[in-house]
C-alpha cells in the first residue's frame, strides 16, 4: 500500500470511529488543519520531479476531497444523533397539567365606559376631556353654583393645598367642568390663522372621566367615573334630551323598550333639571331593568342654564342646549350586578377575575365593541 493509501485508510477509520463532534474536529485538524498531514504532503509536491508531481498531485487532491467529504458526512450523522438524543431526553410529557397562566381582564368600569362611548359615538357625539385637578371657576362658579353652596365645603370636595397665589385647586367633583371648557373653546381664536375655527356651536360632546367626592359607603366611593354629555345648538329642546337618553338606555341595556320617567330635580347649572329613572324589578338582590314596579335613578340632566351659557361666553338668546351626567360605575352595577361599589376599586384580582371582561371577547352586538 502506498503512503497515501495508508493515510487514507487510517483517516477514514478514525473518522468513522469519532464518537462525538469534538473527536471528529480533532481528526479534521490532524488531517486538513494548517499543520495537518494532507497539507504537509501537498507542500512536498514542489520538490518532486514533474512526472512524480503529475502522478502525486491529482492523487493528493483526490485524497483531500474524499477526506473532507467523509468528515462532512460524519459530522452530519453525529449532529443528527445529537438531536435524536436531545429529543429523547427532553420529551414533553403531555399528561402533565399545564403551568398556571395568569390572564388580565378588562375592569367592568372600563368595559361599561367603552360601551357607552360607542353608543354615543354612533349618535354623533365627539369625545372631550379635561383635567382631574380643576379650579373653582370651572368646577363651580361657571356652573352657577352660588358662593356658599354646600358642595363647595370640605366634606364633599377634595381641596388641594393653596398655591403661592392663594388659589385652592380641587379634584373635580363631576365632569361638568368639561362642559365649561368645551363652550369656552368656541370663543377661543383659531390655533393658527390658516385653520378655520370650526369651533362655533353646534357642540355635541361626551366627556368620560374620573371624578372625586369625599364619600364612601356601599354605593359611593371617593373616586368614581362619570360620562357627561352636552349638546348646544340654536333649537335644542327637552324633546331632544328625552329621545337621546331613551335611545341610549335601550341600546345600553339591549332591550327593545325600557320605560323611563323624568323626575323634576335641581342642579345649579341646568333649568329645568331632572333625573331620569328606569323601570326595574329587584328580585333576590338582583336588579332587572325593563320590568317590575320599581325605579332606579340613572342620570341627572336638564337644559343648560342661561347663566352658564353666559359664563362660558355664549349668547343665551342665540344658543341653548341640554346636558346630562351618568355615573358609569353605577350603571355598570345595574347592568352587570356588582353588589358593592367599593369592591370595584379594591384592586382585588379575585374580584376582577370574577367580574372582569375578556379583552378578546366577541364584539358586543349592541355596540360593535369587543
Ligand atoms: N354634574 C351632575 C352631577 O355630578 C350631573 C349632571 C350633569 C346633571 C349634567 C345635569 C346635567 O351630579
Amino acid at each position: 500500500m502506498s503512503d497515501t493509501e495508508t493515510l487514507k485508510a487510517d483517516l477514514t477509520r478514525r473518522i468513522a470511529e469519532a464518537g462525538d463532534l469534538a473527536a471528529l474536529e480533532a481528526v479534521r485538524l490532524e488531517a486538513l488543519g494548517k499543520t495537518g498531514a494532507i497539507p504537509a504532503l501537498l507542500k512536498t509536491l514542489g520538490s518532486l520531479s514533474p512526472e512524480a508531481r503529475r502522478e502525486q498531485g491529482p492523487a493528493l487532491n483526490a485524497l483531500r476531497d474524499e477526506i473532507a467529504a467523509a468528515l462532512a458526512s460524519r459530522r452530519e450523522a453525529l449532529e443528527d444523533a445529537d438531536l435524536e438524543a436531545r429529543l429523547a431526553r427532553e420529551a414533553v410529557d403531555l399528561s402533565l397539567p399545564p403551568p398556571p397562566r395568569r390572564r388580565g381582564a378588562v375592569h367592568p368600569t372600563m368595559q361599561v365606559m367603552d360601551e357607552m362611548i360607542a353608543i354615543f359615538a354612533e349618535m354623533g357625539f365627539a369625545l372631550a376631556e379635561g383635567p382631574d385637578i380643576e379650579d373653582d371657576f370651572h368646577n363651580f362658579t361657571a356652573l352657577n353654583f352660588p358662593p356658599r353652596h354646600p358642595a363647595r365645603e370640605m366634606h364633599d370636595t377634595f381641596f388641594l393645598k393653596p398655591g403661592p397665589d392663594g388659589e385652592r385647586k380641587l379634584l373635580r367633583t363631576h365632569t361638568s367642568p368639561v362642559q365649561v371648557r368645551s363652550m369656552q373653546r368656541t370663543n377661543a381664536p383659531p390655533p393658527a390663522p390658516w385653520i378655520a375655527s370650526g369651533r362655533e356651536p353646534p357642540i355635541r360632546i361626551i366627556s368620560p372621566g374620573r371624578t372625586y367626592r369625599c364619600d364612601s359607603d356601599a354605593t359611593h366611593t371617593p373616586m368614581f367615573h362619570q360620562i357627561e354629555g352636552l349638546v348646544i345648538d340654536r333649537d335644542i329642546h327637552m324633546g331632544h334630551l328625552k329621545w337621546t337618553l331613551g335611545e341610549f338606555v335601550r341600546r345600553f341595556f339591549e332591550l327593545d323598550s325600557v320605560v323611563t320617567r323624568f323626575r323634576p330635580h335641581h342642579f345649579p347649572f341646568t333649568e329645568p333639571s331632572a333625573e331620569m329613572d328606569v323601570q326595574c324589578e329587584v328580585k333576590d338582590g338582583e336588579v332587572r331593568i325593563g320590568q317590575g314596579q320599581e325605579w332606579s335613578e340613572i342620570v341627572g340632566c336638564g337644559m343648560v342654564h342661561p347663566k352658564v351659557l353666559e359664563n362660558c361666553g355664549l349668547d343665551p338668546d342665540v344658543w341653548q342646549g341640554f346636558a346630562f351626567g351618568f355615573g358609569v360605575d353605577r350603571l355598570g352595577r345595574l347592568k352587570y350586578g356588582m353588589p358593592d361599589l367599593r369592591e370595584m376599586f379594591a384592586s382585588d384580582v379575585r374580584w376582577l377575575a370574577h367580574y372582569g371582561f375578556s379583552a378578546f371577547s366577541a364584539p358586543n352586538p349592541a355596540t360593535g365593541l369587543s
Side-chain angles (χ1 to χ4, degrees), residues 100-247:
R101 192 145 63 108
R102 281 187 175 260
R103 273 221 212 149
V106 176
H107 193 284
T109 295
M110 292 304 126
Q111 167 80 16
V112 171
M113 199 89 124
D114 284 348
E115 290 177 18
M116 295 176 74
I117 290 171
I119 295 170
F120 283 117
E122 223 173 70
M123 289 185 184
F125 284 79
L127 272 186
E129 284 183 312
D132 286 20
I133 296 177
E134 266 295 2
D135 51 44
D136 183 89
F137 176 78
H138 288 93
N139 198 80
F140 293 128
T141 307
L143 288 162
N144 197 33
F145 278 79
R148 262 172 294 284
H149 194 280
R152 288 171 183 247
E153 296 308 313
M154 288 299 283
H155 64 266
D156 270 327
T157 308
F158 290 111
F159 286 100
L160 277 67
K161 279 204 193 108
D165 56 356
E167 192 200 346
R168 264 195 326 177
K169 296 260 191 188
L170 48 89
L171 293 180
R172 65 178 176 191
T173 58
H174 49 180
T175 38
S176 305
V178 184
Q179 261 191 57
V180 177
R181 291 180 179 277
S182 301
M183 287 191 272
Q184 282 179 323
R185 260 200 294 276
T186 61
N187 314 309
W194 59 88
I195 298 177
S197 139
R199 290 168 164 200
E200 281 247 295
I203 297 174
R204 209 188 288 154
I205 52 138
I206 49 165
S207 59
R210 277 188 284 266
T211 46
Y212 308 83
R213 282 181 210 178
C214 206
D215 218 349
S216 182
D217 59 36
T219 54
H220 297 90
T221 49
M223 188 279 300
F224 56 107
H225 299 79
Q226 286 193 340
I227 287 191
E228 175 107 357
L230 174 71
V231 172
I232 302 281
D233 207 340
R234 289 171 201 274
D235 312 303
I236 298 295
H237 53 71
M238 271 208 77
H240 297 120
L241 168 63
K242 289 183 81 169
W243 180 86
T244 304
L245 294 181
E247 182 65 15

Side-chain angles (χ1 to χ4, degrees), residues 23-37:
L24 187 66
E25 178 63 7
V27 181
R28 188 189 70 80
L29 286 173
E30 258 178 64
L32 298 174
K34 253 195 201 145
T35 55

